[in-house]
Amino acid sequence: MSDLFSFSRRSFKEALKEESEEEEKADSVKLEDDEEEDEDDNDEDGENFDEIYRGERLKPWIPINIGNAKPPLPLTVTKVNQTNALQTVANTDTVVSAEGQTSEEWLRTHSIEYQKLTLQDLVDKGKIGRLHPDKQTGRVNQHIQFDAMDVNEFEYRLNTGIEQYTKRIKWLLQGSKRVFGNVGGQKIGVCIDASEVSLGYGRLSALKESLIHLIDEQLSKRSAIYLMSFGSEIDPLWPVVRDVNPRVIEDAKEWAMRLMPSGGCNALKALKKVMKMKDLDTIVLILGSVPDQMSEIICEYCHQLGVGRDLPIHTVAYDCSDHMTNITLRNLADTSRGRYHCYTANCEEQIYSGTDISLLLKEIHKAQDILSKIKEMRQGMMGTALISIMNEISAEVAKLPQSRFLPRPPGHEDPLRIEVPKFHIRGSRDWLKQHGLKAKRLHLYQVLAPNAYSFKEEFIPIINKAVQSQVHGKAMVQFPWHDGSIKNIHVNMSQLFEYQKQLKAVVSLFERRVDWLATGSRRIFGTITEKNVVILIDSSVSNINYLVHMQHSLRLLMEQQIANKEYFNIISFGSECKSWKPTMVKPTPQNLQDAWKFVLDLQCSGSRNFLSAYRKAVENDNEIKHQINVQGVYLFTSGVPDQTQDVTSAYIEEMYCGRHIQLHCILFNVDDYNAEGAIPGRYANITRTAECLRNLAHCSNGRFHWFRETGIIESDDIQDINTEIDKALNFSTKCAMLVDSVKKKYNDKFSHPHMEEIKALPPPPSFKMKALPPSPQKHRVEDSYKVVRVRPSSAKRDNLESQTPKPPMKGRPTSAKDPMQRVHTNGRRVTTSHFFIDDKKNNIGSVIEKYPNQKSVRKSFVRPIIPECEDYVTSKQWMRMFSLSKLHLDLNRFVSGPDCKHVEKGVKSLHKSVSAKYCNIFPSINIKGTIKHLQLLPHEMEEFEANVEKVLFRYLKRLQWLLSGSRRVFGSIVHKRCVFLIDTSGSMMTSMEELKKELAALMWEQLHNNDIEFNLIRFSGDCEKWRQNIQLATEENCHDAVAWTASLSAEGNTCTLEALQLAFEDPDIDAVYMLTDGKPDTSTSLVLRELMAMNEERNIPVNTISFNCSDSTANSFLQLLANETGGRYHRCHHNFDAQLFAHKLLSEGLGDTEYPHLPSFEGDDLKRLGSEISLARKYLAQSRTFRALYKAHNQDKQINSARAASMPLLSSRPKSAVR
C-alpha cells in the first residue's frame, strides 16, 4: 500500500513537471518565430516610420522571472477547469495522508455515509407515487419507482467501496502494523510490559524483533519519541522526550535489544510517569500479561488525569491469552478516546477485533447488506423501473417522517423572507409596567386616595372597648378599600367621568395588544423577549406526524422575531440532543438561512431527553468564557420530559437563582386520538402535561404558552393583559356604584310623599321650600287603626296611645315628620288588629299581625382571598392583612351566639336556687367558660372548614417559601438600603463554606432581584468593609461581592461592638443585618448600651441572625438586641428541616390536625406564621368536633322520637294535671 501511495505521489508530480516543460517549449518556439519575423520586416522597410512604430508596438512579451515568488492561492486562479483541478489536488492530498490516518479519520472521507451509498440515499433516488391504504390492515403502502441505470450505478459504487476497504485491511496487516497497529500522532510515548510473564516462555526474542520493525517503520517518521519499559519498577530510556534523529533511533534500537524480564506488571505506575510528560500527544501501551492493579482503578485514574487533555492511549495486547488483559486494554482505550489492537501468533481471528480493522469490517458489512437489498429489489423490476419494494426497503421508508408523503405548504423549502422587527419586543409583564393601570396612574385607589378618609378609632376606658368615629351619611360615601377597611370618600363627579373615559381608552389599548399577540409567530411561540436565546425543539418520535407543522412554525419565528436578537442557537432533542452550532451566533441573514436548513433536516426519533438538551444550552464553557450569557431558553414540545418534575424543576431553579436564566415552555397540542386509536404522544394526558410544563416555566419566572391549530388555549402574556382588563372593568363598575350612590343621596334629599304638590307651587322669592298647611281632607277611620271614642275602664294608657291618633301640633304641618322617627321606629313597628269581646269585662282585645324585622345575628362566611405571589414583607405585616381574624375566620366569633343563662328559681324541698334545664333544640358548647348554643349548622361548618383549609394551605406555601433559598439562613430582606455584618471569627471555621454559598445565593436571589442597595462588613478580631458606602446591586457589584466573600477565612475573636459602630458610620443605611454564631467578646450589656446611644436619633432596626448557634444565652442576647432596636430575630438551624412538615401536610392532606407536629420556631417571622398555622389547625379540630356533636344530638332526638311514638296514647287527662 505504501508503494501505491508513493507511486501516486510520484506520478502526479511527474505529470505536472511534463506539462510545465511542454508549455515552456511552446512559448520559446513562438518567441523565436516572432523575432525572425520582426527582423525581416525591419530589413525590408527600415526607413518607413509607420512600420518602425508598428514594429515597436508588436514587440514580443518578455517572460518574468518567478523563481522565488510565492504561488497564488488556488481560489484566486481563474481557469475553465479550476474546480476539477482543486478536486484533484484534494483527492491527491487525501491519498498521500492516508498512511498517517487512523481508520476513524480515514472513514470520514471514505465511509458509506460520506459517499452517499446508504439505503436512505438509494430510496431518495426513487420517485414517490401516490399513497394507497391497505383495505385489510388500514396501513398506508408507499410505492417508489427506481430507474434501472441509477440502481446499477449505485451497485457498482458499492462494490468499488468494498474493494477499497479490503485493500485498507490488507495494508493494516503488513509489517509492524500487524503486531502493534497503525500508531497515530507525532510525539509518541511507548510503554512496554517487561514483566516475567510477558517476556517469558521464549517470547523475548520475538518481541525484540517486532520492536525493531516498529522503530524503523513507524517511530522513525515521527517528530519525537519517549521509550520506557516497566515491570515491578519503571525503567525509562531518557528522562525527557527526545526529538527524532538518526542518533536517537540507534539508541532506541539498542535499548530494545537490551530488554530483560523483571518482576510483575505495575501498569499504573508506568501510566503515572508517562502521562505527566507534557510534550506527548499519543501514548502506546503494550501489555503481554495481566496488570497488577484492577481494571477499574487504572481506567478511573487515566480518565481523571486526562480531563482537559487530548491524550489518547493506543493499547496493544501482545500475544496474551488472558481475556482480562484484553478487557482492561479495551476499556482503557475507550476511556481515553484511543484505539485498541490485539495480536496473537496462533489465533488469527483476534487480530480483526482491533479498533481499526473492526471499523472497516463494519463498513463492509453495511455495503454487503445494501447489495443484498438491491438483489431482492430486482425481483420486482419490470422494464426500466421498480414497481414494488421489499419489506426491508419499506422499513427504511418507514423511518422517514410521514410529512414526506403528505402535501406541504407552498414554498415550504424556500429561503427565509426575513423581517427585522422595528422595536424590541417585551413580555406583557414588562409592557404593563409602562402601559398598565398603575403605570398610567389609573388605579382606582390612586384616583380616590386624595379624597379618602379613614375612620378614627380610640379606646374608651369607661365602657372598656374601642369606639369608632362616624360620618354623616349625606356628607360622604362609604367605600371598601383594598386592604379590607372602610373609608369615607368625597366623590368628585367630574373627575370620575373623566376617569371613565381614560379607562375606556386604556382598555381599547389592551385589546389591541391581545389582537397583536394572537397574530403571526406570536400566536405559536408568544413573545421572544430576551437578547440571547436558545430554542429547544422536541424531535421525539411522537412528533413524527407533525414535523411539517413544527418546521413551518419555526420558519415564522425566524422570519419575524429572531433577526433583531444579539445571539441565538437551536438545539433539537430526542433521546440524544443535537445543536445547530456549538455556541450561540449572531442572527445574520446567512446564519438564519443556515439555521433554516438545519430545521429542514430534522428527523424525529427517540424519547424526550429534555434535561440533556437544557444542560447543553446553559452549560457551554465557551460562551461563559467569552461572557455570552444565555438569557432565555424556549422549549417547543408536545409532552412531558423523560426526567421527573422534581429533578428538572430543581435544576431549572438553580440556573435561575445563579444565572437568572428563564425557561419559557411552548406546548403545541396534538390530537389524543385518531382513526387508529390512542396516540402515544406523551406520558400523561394533556391536562397533566400542561400542568407539568406550566410549573417548569413558572419556577424560573418564565412564561407558559399553549396552542393548537384552532387557536391559543392558554398564554401567560395574554392572561396578564386580560387580568388588567378585568381590573379596569371592575374599577369601572365601582365607579358606577359610587356615582349611583351619590345620585341616590341626591334623590333622597328631595324625595317626599307630597313632592308633586310641592313642585306644583310657585317657589317663593327666597327659593326656600316651606311646609304646607294641614290638608283639608278628613281623616278616614278605614285608613288608620280603629279608634275608640269612649275609653273603657280596662283600657291602658299605652293601648290608647297606640290606638288614638294624636292631634297635630300648631304651626307644624302633618306632612312634617318627626326627626327622631327613624331612630324610634327604624322600620320595626308592630302591626296589630283589634276586636270587641262582649262577654268579658275587658271588652277590647288585640292580635299582632306583623312582627318587627329583627336584626339577624347569624354571621355570613366571606371567601378568603390571598394572592399567590409572595411579598418581601415581615410576617407581622403579612398577618395584618391575611391572618384568620382579618379574613373573618375566627371560629369563636362565629359560634358566639346568645348566652344560655336560664332563669334561676328557688326550690323549697332542696333549699337552694336551681337553674332551668338547658333546652335541647341546639347542642350546647363551652366557649371561654360560658355555655352557649351552637347555632351554626353542619353545612355552614363544612363551608368554614373548607375556607380554613384553603388558608392553611396558603400558610404552608408561605412557610415553604420562607424556608427555601437564601431566606432559610438570612430570612426575608425587607429593607432597601442595608449593611450586612458577617461573623468570621474562629468559631465559624466549620461553617465557612456553607456561609459562602448562602451569601452568593443572597446576592442574586434577594439583593439583585429586588434592587437593594447593600454593603458588607466582616468582623472577627478586626473589621473590614467591602466598600466605603452602600452600593447598588448591579451584576458587576454582585460578582465583585461574591468574589470578596469567597476569599473570607475564619480566625480571631468576635468584635461585635466595633462592627456595629463601623456600620452606623454610613448615613444612608436604613437597616443592619448581623449574622453571628455566638456572643461578643465584650459585655453584652455594654453592646446594648452603646448601641442604644448610637441609635437614639436614627432608629435604625438591627436584625440579628443566629447561624448554627446552640448556645441559649447567645440566642437570648441576639433576640434582645433585635427587640430593643425594632428589628427581627432569625435563627438558622444546622440540621433542621421544617420543609418536611409542610410537605407532609400538603401531600397527605389535613385529615389529622395533630400529626405531624409543628416544629418549634424561634425566629420572629417563622414563629408568628407557625402560631397562626397552629391556630388554624385548632379551629379545624374544633369545627369537626362541633359537627360530631350535631350528629350525636340528632341521633338522640331520633331515639327519643321513636320511644315517644311507641308509647300508648292516653284517652283522658290524669287526675294530677293542674290547669
Side-chain angles (χ1 to χ4, degrees):
M1 185 62 71
S2 60
D3 297 337
L4 174 64
F5 293 153
S6 60
F7 172 76
S8 300
R9 190 187 307 112
R10 185 170 58 256
S11 60
F12 178 72
K13 291 182 178 180
E14 291 176 356
L16 292 178
K17 184 176 181 181
E18 291 175 0
E19 184 178 357
S20 61
E21 290 178 355
E22 290 178 359
E23 290 179 357
E24 291 177 358
K25 289 181 181 180
D27 293 340
S28 61
V29 171
K30 185 176 180 180
L31 289 175
E32 291 176 358
D33 294 340
D34 292 340
E35 289 176 357
E36 291 177 358
E37 291 177 1
D38 291 340
E39 290 176 359
D40 295 339
D41 293 338
N42 291 334
D43 293 340
E44 294 176 358
D45 302 322
E47 297 184 4
N48 193 340
F49 178 77
D50 295 334
E51 294 297 336
I52 293 173
Y53 178 74
R54 188 181 298 109
E56 292 178 356
R57 188 175 59 182
L58 297 176
K59 186 178 294 184
W61 173 263
I62 301 174
I64 303 173
N65 185 13
I66 58 173
N68 297 325
K70 294 182 179 180
L73 293 174
L75 296 178
T76 60
V77 181
T78 57
K79 293 182 180 180
V80 176
N81 59 346
Q82 172 69 15
T83 303
N84 294 332
L86 290 176
Q87 188 64 34
T88 303
V89 173
N91 294 336
T92 305
D93 294 339
T94 302
V95 173
V96 171
S97 60
E99 183 177 356
Q101 291 178 340
T102 64
S103 293
E104 183 178 1
E105 296 171 349
W106 185 78
L107 285 175
R108 291 175 186 172
T109 55
H110 297 83
S111 64
I112 296 294
E113 289 79 6
Y114 180 80
Q115 300 179 32
K116 297 184 178 179
L117 296 176
T118 61
L119 197 58
Q120 176 71 40
D121 299 315
L122 177 60
V123 173
D124 290 340
K125 291 181 178 294
K127 297 180 181 179
I128 300 174
R130 299 184 61 185
L131 303 178
H132 298 285
D134 192 347
K135 295 182 179 180
Q136 295 181 355
T137 62
R139 296 182 178 179
V140 177
N141 295 326
Q142 293 85 16
H143 186 204
I144 304 179
Q145 297 178 346
F146 293 89
D147 194 295
M149 186 177 296
D150 293 338
V151 176
N152 292 334
E153 181 184 0
F154 199 87
E155 189 175 11
Y156 170 75
R157 292 176 60 194
L158 281 172
N159 289 321
T160 305
I162 292 176
E163 183 180 359
Q164 193 177 17
Y165 299 146
T166 305
K167 289 181 180 180
R168 175 81 180 182
I169 291 175
K170 291 180 180 179
W171 177 75
L172 288 173
L173 294 176
Q174 295 176 358
S176 64
K177 294 185 288 296
R178 179 183 181 87
V179 180
F180 301 103
N182 187 21
V183 179
Q186 291 298 321
K187 298 179 180 181
I188 303 173
V190 181
C191 300
I192 302 172
D193 178 11
S195 63
E196 294 180 355
V197 177
S198 177
L199 300 184
Y201 308 104
R203 296 192 298 178
L204 179 59
S205 58
L207 177 61
K208 290 180 179 180
E209 185 179 354
S210 300
L211 287 175
I212 297 298
H213 288 297
L214 174 65
I215 294 171
D216 285 335
E217 294 180 8
Q218 299 192 54
L219 299 184
S220 61
K221 299 177 182 178
R222 303 298 187 261
S223 61
I225 59 174
Y226 178 80
L227 301 177
M228 180 178 65
S229 64
F230 63 92
S232 299
E233 300 294 334
I234 59 175
D235 182 19
L237 175 59
W238 305 294
V240 295
V241 180
R242 300 292 298 274
D243 294 334
V244 174
N245 53 55
R247 179 63 182 171
V248 170
I249 296 299
E250 290 298 327
D251 291 344
K253 291 180 181 180
E254 293 178 3
W255 171 81
M257 296 303 297
R258 293 196 308 267
L259 281 178
M260 294 299 292
S262 62
C265 180
N266 195 351
L268 183 61
K269 189 172 183 179
L271 288 172
K272 285 182 180 179
K273 174 67 176 177
V274 73
M275 292 189 74
K276 292 180 180 178
M277 310 300 292
K278 298 182 179 179
D279 298 331
L280 297 178
D281 58 9
T282 303
I283 297 176
V284 179
L285 178 62
I286 304 172
L287 286 183
S289 60
V290 180
D292 296 343
Q293 295 81 15
M294 296 177 62
S295 173
E296 294 80 3
I297 296 175
I298 298 175
C299 294
E300 182 66 21
Y301 175 79
C302 294
H303 173 70
Q304 293 182 4
L305 203 60
V307 171
R309 298 178 61 188
D310 186 12
L311 186 61
I313 301 178
H314 178 87
T315 59
V316 180
Y318 180 78
D319 201 8
C320 182
S321 59
D322 196 324
H323 69 282
M324 288 302 300
T325 304
N326 299 333
I327 293 174
T328 301
L329 293 177
R330 188 182 294 275
N331 293 337
L332 184 58
D334 295 339
T335 302
S336 62
R337 298 182 299 277
R339 289 171 295 126
Y340 164 72
H341 184 79
C342 180
Y343 167 75
T344 55
N346 301 324
C347 184
E348 191 75 17
E349 296 179 355
Q350 291 191 10
I351 299 178
Y352 294 95
S353 63
T355 304
D356 287 335
I357 298 178
S358 61
L359 290 176
L360 295 172
L361 290 176
K362 288 181 181 178
E363 291 295 318
I364 293 175
H365 291 326
K366 289 181 183 178
Q368 290 175 348
D369 290 341
I370 298 172
L371 286 175
S372 63
K373 301 294 189 304
I374 294 176
K375 290 180 182 179
E376 295 175 0
M377 286 170 54
R378 292 185 182 278
Q379 298 176 2
M381 183 178 292
M382 295 180 61
T384 61
L386 288 172
I387 61 171
S388 64
I389 306 173
M390 300 304 294
N391 294 333
E392 291 80 0
I393 304 299
S394 300
E396 186 66 27
V397 174
K399 296 179 182 179
L400 297 174
Q402 294 293 333
S403 58
R404 173 74 180 273
F405 306 98
L406 297 175
R408 303 186 183 187
H412 179 68
E413 297 184 358
D414 293 349
L416 299 176
R417 295 185 291 271
I418 301 172
E419 304 172 5
V420 181
K422 298 180 181 179
F423 58 92
H424 177 63
I425 300 176
R426 291 182 294 174
S428 293
R429 277 177 286 187
D430 296 333
W431 185 82
L432 287 174
K433 291 179 181 178
Q434 181 180 357
H435 302 283
L437 295 175
K438 187 171 290 186
K440 292 183 175 293
R441 301 193 65 80
L442 292 178
H443 204 278
L444 179 61
Y445 300 107
Q446 290 177 321
V447 176
L448 298 179
N451 297 327
Y453 304 93
S454 301
F455 288 96
K456 186 176 181 182
E457 185 175 354
E458 291 184 358
F459 182 78
I460 307 300
I462 299 177
I463 60 177
N464 196 24
K465 67 177 181 178
V467 177
Q468 193 179 63
S469 62
Q470 297 292 329
V471 178
H472 195 272
K474 296 181 181 179
M476 291 187 180
V477 178
Q478 282 70 42
F479 185 74
W481 211 245
H482 60 84
D483 57 355
S485 61
I486 302 296
K487 290 185 181 291
N488 299 297
I489 305 296
H490 174 69
V491 180
N492 188 341
M493 300 292 287
S494 60
Q495 183 185 18
L496 289 184
F497 290 147
E498 183 63 27
Y499 175 67
Q500 290 277 40
K501 293 179 182 179
Q502 295 181 12
L503 276 183
K504 181 179 180 182
V506 77
V507 168
S508 177
L509 175 63
F510 293 158
E511 291 175 347
R512 292 199 302 272
R513 168 82 178 182
V514 172
D515 294 339
W516 179 75
L517 289 173
T519 57
S521 62
R522 295 173 296 276
R523 173 178 170 270
I524 302 173
F525 288 89
T527 54
I528 309 298
T529 58
E530 294 83 4
K531 288 292 185 181
N532 302 338
V533 297
V534 177
I535 302 170
L536 304 182
I537 305 171
D538 177 10
S539 59
S540 59
V541 70
S542 58
N543 297 331
I544 193 170
N545 296 326
Y546 301 91
L547 184 57
V548 171
H549 301 277
M550 295 166 58
Q551 291 172 346
H552 183 67
S553 302
L554 291 167
R555 178 189 180 93
L556 293 177
L557 176 67
M558 289 190 287
E559 286 180 345
Q560 298 178 6
Q561 297 197 57
I562 301 297
N564 67 337
K565 305 301 177 188
E566 292 183 359
Y567 295 94
F568 84 107
N569 198 0
I570 299 176
I571 299 176
S572 67
F573 66 94
S575 296
E576 298 180 356
C577 58
K578 179 182 178 183
S579 61
W580 166 56
K581 293 288 186 181
T583 59
M584 293 189 295
V585 297
K586 292 184 178 296
T588 61
Q590 181 62 36
N591 286 337
L592 288 173
Q593 299 294 348
D594 293 342
W596 172 236
K597 293 178 182 178
F598 171 79
V599 172
L600 287 176
D601 294 336
L602 287 178
Q603 297 292 334
C604 295
S605 62
S607 58
R608 294 187 184 89
N609 193 355
F610 158 72
L611 195 57
S612 175
Y614 184 75
R615 291 186 61 184
K616 192 168 188 177
V618 301
E619 294 182 0
N620 195 312
D621 295 337
N622 291 330
E623 293 175 353
I624 297 173
K625 179 180 179 181
H626 294 87
Q627 296 183 354
I628 302 175
N629 297 321
V630 179
Q631 297 175 354
V633 179
Y634 289 80
L635 172 62
F636 189 56
T637 183
S638 65
V640 298
D642 293 345
Q643 295 80 15
T644 57
Q645 183 178 350
D646 54 349
V647 174
T648 53
S649 299
Y651 185 77
I652 292 169
E653 287 180 358
E654 181 181 353
M655 288 295 103
Y656 176 71
C657 294
R659 297 171 56 190
H660 201 71
I661 299 176
Q662 294 182 332
L663 174 67
H664 310 280
C665 296
I666 299 99
L667 171 62
F668 60 94
N669 190 38
V670 297
D671 295 330
D672 290 327
Y673 298 92
N674 60 4
E676 298 180 1
I679 299 176
R682 57 184 72 83
Y683 300 124
N685 57 26
I686 190 61
T687 305
R688 294 185 178 179
T689 301
E691 182 181 358
C692 174
L693 295 177
R694 188 186 301 110
N695 294 335
L696 292 182
H698 291 173
C699 71
S700 64
N701 200 23
R703 301 186 304 278
F704 174 67
H705 189 85
W706 181 10
F707 79 98
R708 64 179 305 155
E709 295 179 356
T710 56
I712 299 173
I713 301 176
E714 179 182 347
S715 173
D716 287 349
D717 276 335
I718 297 179
Q719 183 63 34
D720 292 338
I721 302 296
N722 288 337
T723 302
E724 203 73 4
I725 293 176
D726 294 340
K727 192 183 297 183
L729 296 178
N730 184 25
F731 291 163
S732 178
T733 304
K734 290 183 178 181
C735 282
M737 293 171 57
L738 282 174
V739 173
D740 292 341
S741 63
V742 173
K743 288 182 178 179
K744 184 178 179 181
K745 287 179 180 293
Y746 182 80
N747 294 333
D748 292 344
K749 181 177 180 181
F750 297 100
S751 63
H752 198 274
H754 300 281
M755 195 65 189
E756 296 298 329
E757 298 180 12
I758 296 175
K759 291 181 179 178
L761 295 176
S766 60
F767 298 101
K768 293 183 179 179
M769 293 184 296
K770 295 182 179 180
L772 291 175
S775 175
Q777 186 178 4
K778 294 182 179 180
H779 185 74
R780 299 175 60 184
V781 179
E782 292 83 4
D783 297 336
S784 62
Y785 300 120
K786 293 184 179 182
V787 180
V788 181
R789 298 188 181 277
V790 181
R791 180 179 181 183
S793 59
S794 62
K796 294 182 179 179
R797 183 175 181 273
D798 296 337
N799 291 337
L800 276 180
E801 287 182 355
S802 62
Q803 296 169 9
T804 306
K806 296 181 180 180
M809 297 174 62
K810 292 183 179 181
R812 184 177 180 87
T814 57
S815 60
K817 293 183 178 180
D818 184 5
M820 296 301 291
Q821 183 179 0
R822 183 176 62 87
V823 180
H824 293 326
T825 60
N826 198 16
R828 300 183 184 180
R829 177 178 296 175
V830 178
T831 303
T832 59
S833 63
H834 305 274
F835 55 91
F836 292 94
I837 303 175
D838 295 334
D839 57 346
K840 299 293 181 180
K841 184 178 181 181
N842 298 328
N843 57 355
I844 296 178
S846 62
V847 177
I848 299 176
E849 292 181 346
K850 184 178 180 181
Y851 286 92
N853 296 327
Q854 296 292 336
K855 183 179 179 181
S856 177
V857 296
R858 187 175 298 277
K859 302 172 179 62
S860 60
F861 293 101
V862 181
R863 181 182 178 185
I865 298 176
I866 305 178
E868 291 295 329
C869 59
E870 300 291 353
D871 295 331
Y872 278 92
V873 295
T874 63
S875 293
K876 182 179 181 181
Q877 296 172 341
W878 198 74
M879 284 301 169
R880 287 177 181 173
M881 298 181 289
F882 306 118
S883 64
L884 293 174
S885 60
K886 291 295 182 181
L887 296 175
H888 306 290
L889 292 177
D890 190 348
L891 183 61
N892 295 332
R893 172 176 172 269
F894 282 114
V895 300
S896 295
D899 294 349
C900 286
K901 294 182 179 179
H902 295 271
V903 178
E904 293 186 356
K905 190 175 182 181
V907 179
K908 295 182 179 180
S909 60
L910 299 177
H911 303 287
K912 65 178 181 179
S913 298
V914 178
S915 176
K917 291 185 178 180
Y918 298 138
C919 56
N920 57 359
I921 300 175
F922 296 104
S924 299
I925 56 176
N926 189 338
I927 301 296
K928 296 181 179 180
T930 304
I931 301 299
K932 297 179 180 291
H933 281 312
L934 180 60
Q935 297 187 359
L936 285 180
L937 299 179
H939 72 275
E940 292 176 327
M941 285 185 288
E942 290 178 358
E943 182 181 358
F944 171 79
E945 292 172 13
N947 292 337
V948 173
E949 287 180 358
K950 179 180 178 181
V951 173
L952 185 54
F953 276 126
R954 183 63 184 86
Y955 287 168
L956 293 174
K957 289 182 179 180
R958 178 152 182 101
L959 179 64
Q960 285 184 325
W961 181 75
L962 289 175
L963 292 172
S964 63
S966 61
R967 293 174 293 275
R968 182 185 69 87
V969 175
F970 297 94
S972 55
I973 309 301
V974 299
H975 302 88
K976 289 299 183 182
R977 297 186 301 275
C978 48
V979 60
F980 293 87
L981 308 183
I982 306 169
D983 183 5
T984 59
S985 59
S987 59
M988 292 285 291
M989 183 175 297
T990 58
S991 306
M992 281 305 295
E993 294 301 324
E994 178 187 1
L995 178 60
K996 291 176 183 179
K997 295 179 182 178
E998 297 296 341
L999 283 171
L1002 173 69
M1003 303 296 174
W1004 296 109
E1005 185 179 6
Q1006 298 198 57
L1007 305 185
H1008 179 68
N1009 290 346
N1010 298 333
D1011 297 329
I1012 297 176
E1013 300 180 32
F1014 72 101
N1015 196 3
L1016 304 174
I1017 298 176
R1018 80 143 186 94
F1019 65 96
S1020 55
D1022 57 351
C1023 302
E1024 180 185 357
K1025 276 188 176 182
W1026 169 57
R1027 296 286 175 85
Q1028 291 301 320
N1029 49 17
I1030 57 175
Q1031 303 291 324
L1032 291 174
T1034 61
E1035 291 188 5
E1036 181 180 358
N1037 288 336
C1038 288
H1039 280 296
D1040 190 16
V1042 171
W1044 186 79
T1045 56
S1047 63
L1048 297 179
S1049 60
E1051 58 182 358
N1053 299 326
T1054 308
C1055 57
T1056 306
L1057 181 58
E1058 290 79 0
L1060 289 170
Q1061 292 173 347
L1062 190 61
F1064 273 80
E1065 291 178 359
D1066 193 341
D1068 298 329
I1069 63 172
D1070 58 7
V1072 175
Y1073 288 82
M1074 184 177 70
L1075 182 142
T1076 182
D1077 67 339
K1079 295 189 297 183
D1081 294 339
T1082 58
S1083 172
T1084 56
S1085 58
L1086 176 63
V1087 174
L1088 291 173
R1089 186 169 59 253
E1090 293 294 332
L1091 178 61
M1092 296 306 294
M1094 289 188 296
N1095 204 21
E1096 184 176 1
E1097 297 181 356
R1098 299 181 65 178
N1099 295 325
I1100 295 177
V1102 178
N1103 304 279
T1104 56
I1105 303 165
S1106 174
F1107 185 69
N1108 297 341
C1109 177
S1110 57
D1111 187 359
S1112 59
T1113 306
N1115 291 330
S1116 300
F1117 162 70
L1118 295 177
Q1119 190 170 7
L1120 179 61
L1121 178 62
N1123 293 337
E1124 291 294 329
T1125 58
R1128 290 173 297 137
Y1129 167 69
H1130 181 79
R1131 184 180 180 187
C1132 171
H1133 299 265
H1134 184 66
N1135 295 321
F1136 179 74
D1137 190 11
Q1139 289 271 15
L1140 182 61
F1141 165 77
H1143 176 72
K1144 282 188 175 181
L1145 286 183
L1146 290 175
S1147 59
E1148 299 176 1
L1150 302 172
D1152 190 349
T1153 57
E1154 295 183 358
Y1155 180 81
H1157 300 291
L1158 179 66
S1160 59
F1161 300 106
E1162 295 186 16
D1164 292 344
D1165 284 343
L1166 296 176
K1167 186 176 182 180
R1168 189 176 295 271
L1169 183 59
S1171 63
E1172 202 71 13
I1173 292 174
S1174 300
L1175 183 60
R1177 297 178 76 185
K1178 175 185 174 183
Y1179 285 166
L1180 271 181
Q1182 288 182 347
S1183 179
R1184 291 168 183 173
T1185 304
F1186 294 163
R1187 280 199 293 119
L1189 286 176
Y1190 253 113
K1191 184 177 180 180
H1193 182 74
N1194 293 334
Q1195 290 178 355
D1196 293 342
K1197 290 178 63 176
Q1198 292 176 0
I1199 293 173
N1200 294 333
S1201 300
R1203 289 178 179 175
S1206 62
M1207 292 176 63
L1209 297 176
L1210 298 176
S1211 59
S1212 61
R1213 298 178 65 182
K1215 295 181 179 180
S1216 60
V1218 182
R1219 181 178 180 272

